Protein backbone atom coordinates (compact mmCIF):
# COMPACT_ATOMS: atom_id res chain seq x y z
CA UNK A 1 0.00 0.00 0.00
CA UNK A 2 2.84 2.39 0.79
CA UNK A 3 4.38 1.87 -2.65
CA UNK A 4 1.03 2.64 -4.29
CA UNK A 5 0.61 5.80 -2.23
CA UNK A 6 4.12 6.96 -3.11
CA UNK A 7 3.54 6.20 -6.78
CA UNK A 8 0.25 8.12 -6.86
CA UNK A 9 1.71 11.19 -5.17
CA UNK A 10 4.83 10.85 -7.35
CA UNK A 11 2.76 10.86 -10.53
CA UNK A 12 0.85 13.87 -9.29
CA UNK A 13 4.14 15.64 -8.62
CA UNK A 14 5.40 14.75 -12.10
CA UNK A 15 2.30 16.28 -13.71
CA UNK A 16 2.74 19.46 -11.67
CA UNK A 17 6.43 19.66 -12.62
CA UNK A 18 5.66 19.19 -16.31
CA UNK A 19 2.99 21.89 -16.24
CA UNK A 20 5.33 24.15 -14.29
CA UNK A 21 8.12 23.79 -16.81
CA UNK A 22 5.73 24.24 -19.72
CA UNK A 23 4.35 27.50 -18.32
CA UNK A 24 7.74 28.80 -17.20
CA UNK A 25 9.43 28.16 -20.54
CA UNK A 26 6.69 29.23 -22.95
CA UNK A 27 7.22 32.29 -25.14
CA UNK A 28 3.52 32.73 -25.97
CA UNK A 29 0.22 31.75 -24.48
CA UNK A 30 -1.06 28.22 -24.97
CA UNK A 31 -3.05 27.25 -28.10
CA UNK A 32 -6.22 26.93 -26.03
CA UNK A 33 -5.71 30.49 -24.77
CA UNK A 34 -5.81 31.63 -28.41
CA UNK A 35 -9.00 29.65 -28.91
CA UNK A 36 -10.64 31.30 -25.91
CA UNK A 37 -9.35 34.79 -26.79
CA UNK A 38 -10.31 34.45 -30.43
CA UNK A 39 -6.95 35.99 -31.35
CA UNK A 40 -3.48 34.74 -32.03
CA UNK A 41 -0.52 35.75 -29.88
CA UNK A 42 0.71 38.09 -32.61
CA UNK A 43 -2.61 39.95 -32.61
CA UNK A 44 -2.21 40.96 -28.95
CA UNK A 45 -0.70 44.28 -27.96
CA UNK A 46 2.85 44.06 -26.51
CA UNK A 47 1.65 45.24 -23.09
CA UNK A 48 -1.01 42.53 -22.95
CA UNK A 49 1.57 39.96 -24.06
CA UNK A 50 3.84 41.04 -21.19
CA UNK A 51 1.01 40.74 -18.66
CA UNK A 52 0.03 37.29 -19.91
CA UNK A 53 3.64 36.03 -19.92
CA UNK A 54 4.08 37.36 -16.38
CA UNK A 55 0.98 35.51 -15.20
CA UNK A 56 2.09 32.34 -16.98
CA UNK A 57 5.45 32.54 -15.18
CA UNK A 58 3.68 32.93 -11.82
CA UNK A 59 1.41 29.96 -12.57
CA UNK A 60 4.42 27.94 -13.74
CA UNK A 61 6.26 28.74 -10.53
CA UNK A 62 3.24 27.63 -8.52
CA UNK A 63 3.04 24.33 -10.37
CA UNK A 64 6.77 23.82 -9.98
CA UNK A 65 6.59 24.54 -6.24
CA UNK A 66 3.65 22.19 -5.84
CA UNK A 67 5.47 19.39 -7.62
CA UNK A 68 8.70 19.90 -5.69
CA UNK A 69 6.95 20.05 -2.31
CA UNK A 70 5.02 16.89 -3.14
CA UNK A 71 8.28 15.15 -4.07
CA UNK A 72 9.88 16.26 -0.79
CA UNK A 73 6.88 14.89 1.10
CA UNK A 74 7.57 11.45 -0.35
CA UNK A 75 10.43 11.15 2.15
CA UNK A 76 8.32 11.37 5.35
CA UNK A 77 5.59 9.38 3.57
CA UNK A 78 8.06 6.58 2.90
CA UNK A 79 8.91 6.60 6.63
CA UNK A 80 5.24 6.07 7.51
CA UNK A 81 4.59 9.56 8.86
CA UNK A 82 0.84 9.95 8.41
CA UNK A 83 0.78 13.74 8.56
CA UNK A 84 2.73 13.86 5.30
CA UNK A 85 -0.14 12.27 3.36
CA UNK A 86 -2.46 15.07 4.46
CA UNK A 87 0.18 17.68 3.67
CA UNK A 88 0.74 16.19 0.20
CA UNK A 89 -3.00 16.01 -0.42
CA UNK A 90 -3.32 19.66 0.58
CA UNK A 91 -0.54 20.72 -1.79
CA UNK A 92 -1.86 18.64 -4.68
CA UNK A 93 -5.47 19.75 -4.31
CA UNK A 94 -4.55 23.41 -3.74
CA UNK A 95 -2.98 23.37 -7.20
CA UNK A 96 -5.06 20.82 -9.08
CA UNK A 97 -8.59 21.86 -8.08
CA UNK A 98 -8.23 25.50 -9.23
CA UNK A 99 -6.56 24.23 -12.42
CA UNK A 100 -9.46 21.88 -13.10
CA UNK A 101 -11.94 24.65 -12.38
CA UNK A 102 -10.26 27.07 -14.80
CA UNK A 103 -9.94 24.50 -17.58
CA UNK A 104 -13.66 23.77 -17.28
CA UNK A 105 -14.58 27.45 -16.96
CA UNK A 106 -12.63 28.35 -20.11
CA UNK A 107 -14.62 25.71 -21.99
CA UNK A 108 -17.82 27.41 -20.85
CA UNK A 109 -16.50 30.64 -22.37
CA UNK A 110 -15.37 28.87 -25.56
CA UNK A 111 -16.76 25.31 -25.82
CA UNK A 112 -14.39 24.35 -28.63
CA UNK A 113 -11.25 25.30 -26.65
CA UNK A 114 -8.98 22.33 -26.10
CA UNK A 115 -8.16 23.12 -22.47
CA UNK A 116 -6.20 20.49 -20.48
CA UNK A 117 -9.19 19.17 -18.54
CA UNK A 118 -7.96 15.57 -18.51
CA UNK A 119 -4.51 16.25 -16.98
CA UNK A 120 -6.09 18.54 -14.37
CA UNK A 121 -8.72 15.91 -13.52
CA UNK A 122 -6.04 13.21 -13.36
CA UNK A 123 -4.03 15.34 -10.91
CA UNK A 124 -7.10 15.73 -8.66
CA UNK A 125 -7.84 12.02 -8.94
CA UNK A 126 -4.26 11.01 -8.12
CA UNK A 127 -4.27 13.14 -4.99
CA UNK A 128 -7.61 11.76 -3.84
CA UNK A 129 -6.58 8.19 -4.62
CA UNK A 130 -3.31 8.59 -2.71
CA UNK A 131 -5.21 9.98 0.28
CA UNK A 132 -7.66 7.07 0.11
CA UNK A 133 -4.76 4.60 0.12
CA UNK A 134 -3.38 6.44 3.14
CA UNK A 135 -6.67 6.01 5.00
CA UNK A 136 -6.69 2.29 4.22
CA UNK A 137 -3.25 1.79 5.76
Amino acid sequence: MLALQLALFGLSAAIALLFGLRYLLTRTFMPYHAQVAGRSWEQLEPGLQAIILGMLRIVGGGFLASGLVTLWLLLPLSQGQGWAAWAALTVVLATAVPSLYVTLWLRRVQPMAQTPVVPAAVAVGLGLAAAAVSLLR
Side-chain angles (χ1 to χ4, degrees):
M1 286 291 212
L2 178 61
L4 178 59
Q5 182 185 27
L6 294 173
L8 293 170
F9 276 130
L11 285 171
S12 178
I15 290 171
L17 291 171
L18 289 173
F19 268 90
L21 290 173
R22 173 77 167 110
Y23 281 80
L24 281 171
L25 299 175
T26 189
R27 294 175 187 246
T28 66
F29 59 23
M30 303 300 139
Y32 64 88
H33 293 142
Q35 292 172 322
V36 174
R39 295 194 277 169
S40 70
W41 179 254
E42 294 75 24
Q43 292 172 315
L44 300 177
E45 298 80 21
L48 187 53
Q49 288 179 348
I51 291 167
I52 292 169
L53 282 177
M55 287 190 282
L56 288 172
R57 300 294 186 271
I58 292 167
V59 169
F63 276 121
L64 198 62
S66 174
L68 291 172
V69 168
T70 303
L71 287 177
W72 274 109
L73 287 168
L74 294 180
L75 180 61
L77 278 169
S78 68
Q79 297 169 348
Q81 298 181 34
W83 66 269
W86 296 108
L89 177 64
T90 301
V91 170
V92 168
L93 293 184
T95 306
V97 169
S99 299
L100 179 58
Y101 173 79
V102 169
T103 60
L104 293 169
W105 181 71
L106 289 176
R107 284 196 181 184
R108 286 183 57 204
V109 172
Q110 177 48 261
M112 300 308 294
Q114 298 298 310
T115 61
V117 171
V118 172
V122 167
V124 171
L126 287 169
L128 293 174
V133 169
S134 174
L135 290 173
L136 295 173
R137 287 186 36 202

